[in-house]
Amino acid sequence: MKQLHFDSDYMEGAHPEIIKKLAKINFDKIVGYGTDEYCKSAARKIREAFECPNAGVHFLVGGTQTNKVVIASFLRPYEAVIAADTGHIATHESGAIENSGHKVITLPNDNAKLKASAVLEYMKDFEEHCNPTHTTIPAMVYISQPTETGTLYSLEELKALRAVCDAYDLKFFVDGARLGYAFAAPTNDIMMKDLAELADVFYIGGTKIGALFGEAVVIKDPEKIRYFRTPIKQNGALLAKGWLLGVQFDVLFTDQLYLNISKNAIDRAMELKQGLLNKGYTFYCESFTNQQFVILPDEKLNDFNQHVTSTFWEKVDDTHTAIRLVTSWATTSDEIEQLLSLL
């Protein structure tokens, strides 16, 4: 049996339709920096899908660059962003946000989610006790959908966060690196248009969902950031061959390809989850997205690791370890069967 890879959802290249399109136009002469017709077409299709006709759409090269540029662009130098203590910007981006000069204020998570009640309590306390002359001022709320452990915000939870943001004049930013997998999850109750209405800015992940690379930032009111392309360029995230990004998102948002391939990852994840349950395994947390966190006996894990790549998550006790198994848009049922056979 060849080694199986379940440690991330960006190990494959790109969806065949993207490769086919790139090959077809390979020798065309196309203008640069995202001013081409493919970027314009992709932006139009994204606006239509999310029902936000006036939104600004911009294409960046990767998730960390996207989070850094968005946060640094929306915040003034003395402002900070609020996130769950498990949030991606607080744990997995090598201090990229702090490197831009902005503090990440972390609040305790609830099943990896940032609760509106926690933000409300923090803001009340800030206004009552903190002197803004001497304190970094919270000005943005950051979440990821889905979260770092595959959990999902409900529509009610997003609305509650939006209400707190409105009450305290906070920008609301949704990291959508795995956004397609959130929409495809069986427990999801958020429509595309809901996200566009509730968030000030969000991004659509391509790197982890069928693209070679790239993310699409959607800004509900582009007048709030009139020169967003300038900080993109300033931070090295504006691709000279920007059409490479435009082509990919143009393909992904044709005939609902983005949602269709996201569903494949969810279907395979649910096959994996049910198979593990049938074999008597337990989970570190409940996830209905493409990330599954299973607890294995260490004696079984040592042999398992010889055949499957996964991500260490946490030691549960002296003899058990939680690992993360991730499916992708390209994962097959055969690969799931092979993995389950090893357990």
Side-chain angles (χ1 to χ4, degrees), residues 311-331:
T311 302
F312 167 83
W313 203 254
E314 186 176 301
K315 281 292 293 178
V316 177
D317 56 37
D318 290 341
T319 59
H320 293 80
T321 299
I323 63 169
R324 184 186 71 167
L325 298 170
V326 187
T327 59
S328 81
W329 59 274
T331 303

Side-chain angles (χ1 to χ4, degrees), residues 150 152 179-189 262-263 266 288-290:
L152 291 174
L179 188 58
Y181 301 140
F183 285 132
T187 55
N188 174 60
D189 68 346
S262 295
K263 187 176 184 301
I266 301 304
F288 289 94
T289 59
N290 70 315

Side-chain angles (χ1 to χ4, degrees), residues 61 81 83 86 116 137 150 187 252 267-268 270 279 295 323-324:
V61 294
V81 56
T86 51
I137 300 172
T187 55
L252 287 173
D267 289 345
R268 302 293 79 77
M270 295 305 101
K279 290 176 177 288
I295 298 172
I323 63 169
R324 184 186 71 167

Side-chain angles (χ1 to χ4, degrees), residues 260-281:
N260 291 336
I261 64 176
S262 295
K263 187 176 184 301
N264 177 75
I266 301 304
D267 289 345
R268 302 293 79 77
M270 295 305 101
E271 286 178 10
L272 173 62
K273 181 177 184 177
Q274 189 59 54
L276 290 167
L277 286 170
N278 291 344
K279 290 176 177 288
Y281 287 95

